[in-house]
Amino acid sequence: MDGTAKSERVRLLTFTLVFAVVFSALPGHALAAGAAPEGAAGAAHAPYLIIHLDAVSSHTFFDEFDSGRLPHIARAFDGGTVVRNALSLFIGGTEMIYPRLKNGGVSEDPYPIAWETYDRSSQTSSRRLETARELYSYVPRYARSQFMHGLPVTEYLSGVAVLNVPRLLREYAFVEVFWFSTDTWGHVFGDEPQRASVRLLDRFLGEMMASLQGMPVNLILYGDHGMSFFERWVDTDGAVWEVAGDGIQFYSYPNLYLADPARSGEVARELAARDEVDFAFYWKDESTIAGWHEGGKVFFTKHASGVAYRFEGEDPFGYSLFGYRGEALSDQEWLDLTYQSSYPAAPVNLLRYMSNPQAGDVVVVVNPPKGLKTTAGLEGTHCGMADTDLMVPVLLKGPDLDGREVPDPMWLHTLYREVLEIDPRADGSPNREKHSIRLRAGLTTDGPRAVPEVTYSPARRFRANATGLPGDWEAFVEYDLYTSFNMRVWTGLGIEGGESGVNPIGTARVELFLDRLSLSVLAILSPEGHKTVSKLSYELDGGVSLEWTLPGEFGLSLSL
């Protein structure tokens, strides 16, 4: 061995040993991969995996579940808790339901109640983009691209995301997966394609559970709202404009804002006489909501003990068949009494909805078998008060959930705070990226070559990298531009050293994931030109990874 090669190896060994000692003393060492996350009280618990099943009613889900067509879901939740009657809040829609879930249904917290609303105090309206932005603010960053997976065929990308869940569970205390294709398929293509999408989720979930290899996980699956498949379209919007005309200040289903709110009762009565409208509700006085319908009138009245219901003419809800006699009932009492009806707990749902300051002077409602005419809603919708619009499944299984008392029926908005007992606004993400030390070796035209790499992260989405040996090295800081279940995109700035001296560099990196397997492609740009470093990695337990830097270098990595 010549003196130069021996000197290089001594420097490499010294560098590696010094870094290993410093590395073990770095802040955040206790957050090593595989460390158990902590709950609100500081006690270690298993991570939470929460699967958001979009627009699937209890009727549809349990028809598939009970028939044996969802075998992997049945196996995953065997011995757990199955809630068949969880009632979502009116009006059904992820843009309204999900923020209320994250707020625990707390009424004083602002949340959207429709895609578009009107604020009389400022005389401004909220638009769809603002509502979408509000929704996005509650969704974990890594899951935001899943909205695009609602498009036909792209649900397979959500399937790949499901397969990558185990990787995130090794880092995050809470992981949320959104399965949106059920909403798209139901709206556009109908009942059977929506069911097929649920069965596809079942298949991917089975593959994911197998890859967990017994890892303890608190598993939750819930539907956010239902889907009603209608017999005919009705042009409710057209009817509203024909009846209210020039008196409309602003309108977006289900909320009608009038230039003269005193006309609410008159307008509601005229609307309810139209075939395109099933109910038209308005505030009769400070404590009572009145609602016109084709066969008469209903009243929901607030009392200290709850909400009372009465009707004039026909009873459209038929609550007397369930033993109701006109008394005031609490939210849960209404649900316990009426969850088997076609319109479960409608008095509570409508009164709570119209108590929101964003609600219109008149709230119009269309129920199945009619469907609200929209561009996308060719076969299904979820704009009414019916059980198929709002009654959804909830399934729970896990070491911190087994044996927990969960009401059935239950109000869906209590899921995070009261049932799971977790902070719905915490995403459970680690405080920083993983530190790592790598050593890769291979043969070059100049003989054997060994190269160390080190990474240190001071905070989430930032990491500093140093690669190489004296005479041929790079040092740069990277920032995470984009994260999803399936990929991460980084950009960075730094310097490099070589025969020509020290030069500035810019970097761009794309990382693709499939559970424990990952591909990293790093581009380094400098005044001397550019180069690309591609690397395949397979993560073992304990933070150790096997790595292949293409075309011919192999190595090991230790991450903490």
Side-chain angles (χ1 to χ4, degrees):
M1 179 184 298
D2 62 39
T4 302
K6 182 176 180 180
S7 175
E8 179 177 330
R9 293 190 181 188
V10 169
R11 286 198 300 269
L12 171 61
L13 179 62
T14 302
F15 175 87
T16 304
L17 290 175
V18 170
F19 179 77
V21 172
V22 174
F23 190 68
S24 64
L26 288 173
H29 177 74
L31 293 175
E38 294 189 350
H45 60 69
Y48 284 74
L49 170 57
I50 304 172
I51 301 172
H52 171 115
L53 181 59
D54 201 41
V56 177
S57 69
S58 280
H59 172 78
T60 295
F61 181 85
F62 285 110
D63 188 43
E64 294 291 306
F65 186 85
D66 294 337
S67 68
R69 291 189 289 269
L70 303 177
H72 301 295
I73 292 176
R75 190 176 303 115
F77 290 97
D78 184 33
T81 300
V82 177
V83 177
R84 292 175 175 266
N85 303 282
L87 187 63
S88 192
L89 295 171
F90 177 82
I91 173 178
T94 303
E95 64 281 355
M96 282 75 76
I97 301 300
Y98 188 68
R100 283 183 273 188
L101 264 172
K102 284 301 185 85
N103 283 327
V106 182
S107 59
E108 57 266 26
D109 286 345
Y111 52 81
I113 62 167
W115 271 116
E116 297 181 346
T117 56
Y118 182 74
D119 185 343
R120 275 208 171 83
S121 61
S122 62
Q123 295 186 343
T124 59
S125 59
S126 66
R127 296 297 179 180
R128 287 177 175 264
L129 183 60
E130 297 170 51
T131 302
R133 189 184 302 119
E134 177 78 4
L135 171 60
Y136 257 59
S137 70
Y138 290 97
V139 175
R141 182 170 176 264
Y142 58 78
R144 290 174 184 171
S145 64
Q146 288 196 290
F147 284 94
M148 295 184 292
H149 300 169
L151 298 174
V153 181
T154 60
E155 68 268 22
Y156 286 93
L157 293 176
S158 277
V160 176
V162 172
L163 297 180
N164 278 323
V165 161
R167 180 180 64 85
L168 268 69
L169 287 172
R170 293 190 287 271
E171 297 184 46
Y172 288 76
F174 312 104
V175 175
E176 292 186 83
V177 174
F178 295 82
W179 191 264
F180 286 117
S181 68
T182 41
D183 185 72
T184 303
W185 286 103
H187 277 304
V188 179
F189 301 109
D191 180 45
E192 182 50 39
Q194 186 192 52
R195 291 169 183 260
S197 180
V198 179
R199 294 193 290 268
L200 182 62
L201 170 62
D202 177 80
R203 192 181 84 192
F204 280 114
L205 182 64
E207 296 178 17
M208 183 212 73
M209 294 301 293
S211 69
L212 284 175
Q213 299 178 337
M215 175 184 179
V217 175
N218 294 303
L219 183 62
I220 300 98
L221 183 149
Y222 74 90
D224 64 334
H225 57 82
M227 177 75 73
S228 296
F229 300 100
F230 47 81
E231 297 176 4
R232 62 188 177 97
W233 271 359
V234 289
D235 186 6
T236 303
D237 293 357
V240 169
W241 282 98
E242 285 183 26
V243 169
D246 294 339
I248 294 177
Q249 187 80 39
F250 185 83
Y251 168 73
S252 178
Y253 184 90
N255 296 294
L256 168 60
Y257 306 84
L258 296 170
D260 180 8
R263 296 187 59 227
S264 297
E266 170 194 343
V267 172
R269 184 170 188 170
E270 291 183 46
L271 284 170
R274 298 286 298 248
D275 173 66
E276 301 93 335
V277 176
D278 289 327
F279 287 92
F281 297 96
Y282 68 99
W283 281 101
K284 179 177 177 291
D285 54 47
E286 291 184 356
S287 62
T288 300
I289 286 176
W292 286 100
H293 62 99
E294 185 181 21
K297 200 173 186 181
V298 297
F299 303 90
F300 309 144
T301 303
K302 291 189 294 185
H303 295 273
S305 56
V307 181
Y309 164 69
R310 65 183 179 89
F311 61 91
E312 295 175 356
E314 297 178 5
D315 178 7
F317 302 125
Y319 292 147
S320 61
L321 298 176
F322 299 91
Y324 183 69
R325 297 295 179 265
E327 67 274 29
L329 300 177
S330 68
D331 291 16
Q332 189 61 41
E333 287 172 334
W334 267 114
L335 188 53
D336 290 339
L337 181 69
T338 65
Y339 72 91
Q340 292 180 310
S341 78
S342 297
Y343 301 99
V348 172
N349 240 332
L350 264 295
L351 195 145
R352 295 288 179 261
Y353 184 86
M354 294 191 67
S355 296
N356 190 294
Q358 295 182 41
D361 302 303
V362 178
V363 171
V364 296
V365 178
V366 178
N367 290 312
K370 300 173 185 175
L372 185 68
K373 185 175 183 179
T374 64
T375 303
L378 304 177
E379 296 289 339
T381 187
H382 39 78
C383 59
M385 303 183 295
D387 54 348
T388 49
D389 292 316
L390 300 176
M391 193 67 80
V392 294
V394 175
L395 293 83
L396 309 97
K397 174 75 183 295
D400 300 305
L401 301 175
D402 293 345
R404 184 172 297 183
E405 291 187 11
V406 181
D408 186 0
M410 63 171 278
W411 286 94
L412 182 65
H413 65 264
T414 66
L415 176 63
Y416 281 81
R417 292 187 184 275
E418 299 179 26
V419 175
L420 301 180
E421 297 179 354
I422 60 177
D423 181 356
R425 296 182 180 179
D427 65 3
S429 61
N431 294 328
R432 58 166 176 81
E433 306 299 324
K434 292 179 180 179
H435 306 316
S436 65
I437 179 171
R438 296 180 174 86
L439 184 62
R440 53 186 170 90
L443 292 174
T444 69
T445 55
D446 297 324
R449 164 182 152 96
V451 179
E453 300 180 24
V454 296
T455 300
Y456 172 69
S457 173
R460 191 70 181 162
R461 301 178 66 182
F462 286 93
R463 61 189 186 191
N465 303 271
T467 303
L469 293 165
D472 183 14
W473 54 270
E474 297 100 24
F476 54 93
V477 176
E478 291 181 293
Y479 175 73
D480 172 13
L481 285 178
Y482 171 79
T483 290
S484 74
F485 283 93
N486 307 331
M487 68 183 299
R488 297 186 79 175
V489 178
W490 302 79
T491 186
L493 294 172
I495 54 176
E496 67 174 5
E499 294 181 358
S500 61
V502 176
N503 293 306
I505 60 173
T507 66
R509 187 196 304 264
V510 176
E511 295 175 320
L512 303 174
F513 304 100
L514 185 59
D515 192 14
R516 292 179 179 269
L517 186 67
S518 64
L519 170 65
S520 169
V521 179
L522 171 65
I524 301 175
L525 307 176
S526 75
E528 301 294 318
H530 73 277
K531 67 177 180 178
T532 301
V533 180
S534 300
K535 179 172 60 183
L536 278 171
S537 301
Y538 184 82
E539 181 183 353
L540 304 174
D541 292 331
V544 177
S545 295
L546 303 177
E547 299 185 341
W548 176 25
T549 302
L550 303 175
E553 294 183 336
F554 299 88
L556 288 174
S557 169
L558 174 63
S559 299
L560 294 174

